[in-house]
Amino acid sequence: LENAINTLIDGLKDKDKDVRESCAKSLEAIPEELNEKQLENAINTLIHGFKDEDENVRKSYARSLGVISTNLTDKKLEG
């Protein structure tokens, strides 16, 4: 599972906008499975993605951040 999560996080930086969007959407479903380092990396990469040239990618990243933050347990948020 760790390799799959890391692959999704790496995919957020892919040159192909469709890959970036798909990886962002996939990460929405598994925020509780991320360890602290992966969660931090995913959130930082999604935030950095707001600079993406593609509007749909930016929207996808914003939506993913919203879903991830909503789905996190209080324990994860307290860190």
Side-chain angles (χ1 to χ4, degrees):
L1 182 60
E2 186 172 337
N3 287 337
I5 292 170
N6 289 334
T7 299
L8 290 174
I9 292 170
D10 289 343
L12 295 173
K13 303 170 197 169
D14 196 272
K15 292 180 181 181
D16 186 319
K17 68 179 182 73
D18 294 328
V19 171
R20 295 192 306 271
E21 283 185 76
S22 294
C23 289
K25 186 170 181 147
S26 296
L27 282 170
E28 292 175 11
I30 56 169
E32 293 181 1
E33 301 299 325
L34 302 175
N35 65 38
E36 186 176 336
K37 182 178 178 182
Q38 291 169 327
L39 182 59
E40 182 179 344
N41 189 8
I43 289 172
N44 287 335
T45 303
L46 288 167
I47 290 170
H48 182 73
F50 290 155
K51 297 176 185 176
D52 197 282
E53 62 188 39
D54 188 273
E55 180 180 358
N56 290 328
V57 171
R58 292 191 306 267
K59 287 179 181 179
S60 178
Y61 284 18
R63 182 180 52 250
S64 295
L65 278 171
V67 170
I68 288 171
S69 64
T70 300
N71 289 335
L72 288 175
T73 63
D74 290 337
K75 182 178 178 184
K76 282 272 191 176
L77 289 175
E78 291 174 3

